[in-house]
Amino acid sequence: MRPATFPAALALACIAWPAAAQGGPVPVIVVVEPLHWEGTAEVYPPGRTLKIGVRTSIDRLSNVVSESWPLELGEAKGMRRMRLTGAGGTAERDGKTEPLPEAMWLEERNQFDFYRFLQLAAVRAPEMAKLGANTFQVAGAPLTWFKIDRDGNIVGAINEVPANGGTAYQQFRFDGFWKSSESIFPKHMEMFRAGQPYFTLDVTKFEAGAAL
């Protein structure tokens, strides 16, 4: 059963935990550090697998700079850069910059906010494991549920993001985490939509907070 829609509670770099959903008496405010990662990824256009290089930074205000390039072309020839702010986004390629359509900006903004929510989940996970929970919700948009093992390690997640004029239901699997400053990031992550592979990420470098 898919979780019901939860109201957004995201403002700048601070997110409040809902007391009722999380079992705590008072909401907690968590400030997410700047995040930066590099590595390779796979995306799955119809009938093929595209391997790309990736490099992404998210600042304290959730502004995103995401760079990618097909590995077969290389960074110099294939670079694409996307910038996202709270007001909109742009796409850069071959020296040209174009605004992102609003629907694409909203979907991408939600996708990258997932990595900030992951930091909040990592803070909450040990406490939830002690309470005997194996899943818990992070308030905000996108609506996200995290799955943990008995030791409080995050092993998976599900969420819903706006996509294609509707809503896409996504599942995540994680294999190992990097840690930098007070933040974590998946070493290997698999994302599925409608049960089909959608995005696979292998991270070779991760930095956060004062390390940036």
Side-chain angles (χ1 to χ4, degrees), residues 5 13 53 58 68 76 78 83 88 118 121 123-124 133 136 148 168 179 185:
T5 302
I58 306 178
S68 64
R83 299 180 187 272
L118 177 62
V123 173
R124 192 68 170 175
F136 63 95
I148 56 176
K179 183 171 177 60
F185 204 85

Side-chain angles (χ1 to χ4, degrees), residues 118 121-123 125 136 146-149 152-157 174 177 184:
L118 177 62
V123 173
F136 63 95
F146 287 91
K147 182 178 180 180
I148 56 176
D149 63 19
N153 300 306
I154 297 172
V155 296
F174 308 114
F177 286 91
I184 66 168

Side-chain angles (χ1 to χ4, degrees), residues 25-97:
V26 179
V28 178
I29 302 299
V30 180
V31 177
V32 178
E33 299 180 301
L35 308 174
H36 174 86
W37 65 93
E38 302 177 18
T40 59
E42 292 183 357
V43 293
Y44 306 98
R48 66 191 183 106
T49 297
L50 178 61
K51 298 184 178 182
I52 60 176
V54 296
R55 182 168 54 235
T56 302
S57 295
I58 306 178
D59 69 16
R60 288 184 180 274
L61 300 181
S62 299
N63 298 315
V64 177
V65 178
S66 179
E67 298 175 329
S68 64
W69 57 92
L71 293 180
E72 61 183 7
L73 287 180
E75 182 175 349
K77 292 183 179 180
M79 170 65 73
R80 300 180 182 184
R81 181 179 294 110
M82 180 171 59
R83 299 180 187 272
L84 305 171
T85 70
T90 59
E92 303 172 20
R93 184 179 180 185
D94 299 329
K96 299 179 181 179
T97 301

Side-chain angles (χ1 to χ4, degrees), residues 157-169:
I158 60 174
N159 73 1
E160 294 179 319
V161 297
N164 302 318
T167 300
Y169 177 63

Side-chain angles (χ1 to χ4, degrees), residues 78-162:
M79 170 65 73
R80 300 180 182 184
R81 181 179 294 110
M82 180 171 59
R83 299 180 187 272
L84 305 171
T85 70
T90 59
E92 303 172 20
R93 184 179 180 185
D94 299 329
K96 299 179 181 179
T97 301
E98 297 181 351
L100 287 180
E102 184 176 359
M104 182 179 296
W105 163 76
L106 183 60
E107 178 179 353
E108 294 293 346
R109 181 82 171 176
N110 276 263
Q111 294 287 23
F112 284 104
D113 274 344
F114 171 80
Y115 301 114
R116 299 175 63 253
F117 282 29
L118 177 62
Q119 310 312 315
L120 307 183
V123 173
R124 192 68 170 175
E127 177 185 350
M128 298 306 294
K130 290 179 181 179
L131 294 174
N134 59 15
T135 59
F136 63 95
Q137 184 188 70
V138 174
L143 171 73
T144 306
W145 289 77
F146 287 91
K147 182 178 180 180
I148 56 176
D149 63 19
R150 292 182 178 180
D151 297 320
N153 300 306
I154 297 172
V155 296
I158 60 174
N159 73 1
E160 294 179 319
V161 297

Side-chain angles (χ1 to χ4, degrees), residues 11 14 30 41 61 63 86 89 100 130 156 167 171 173 175-176 186 191 196 208 212:
C14 298
V30 180
L61 300 181
N63 298 315
L100 287 180
K130 290 179 181 179
T167 300
Q171 297 172 290
R173 297 175 184 168
D175 185 6
M191 181 198 298
Q196 299 299 315
L212 294 178

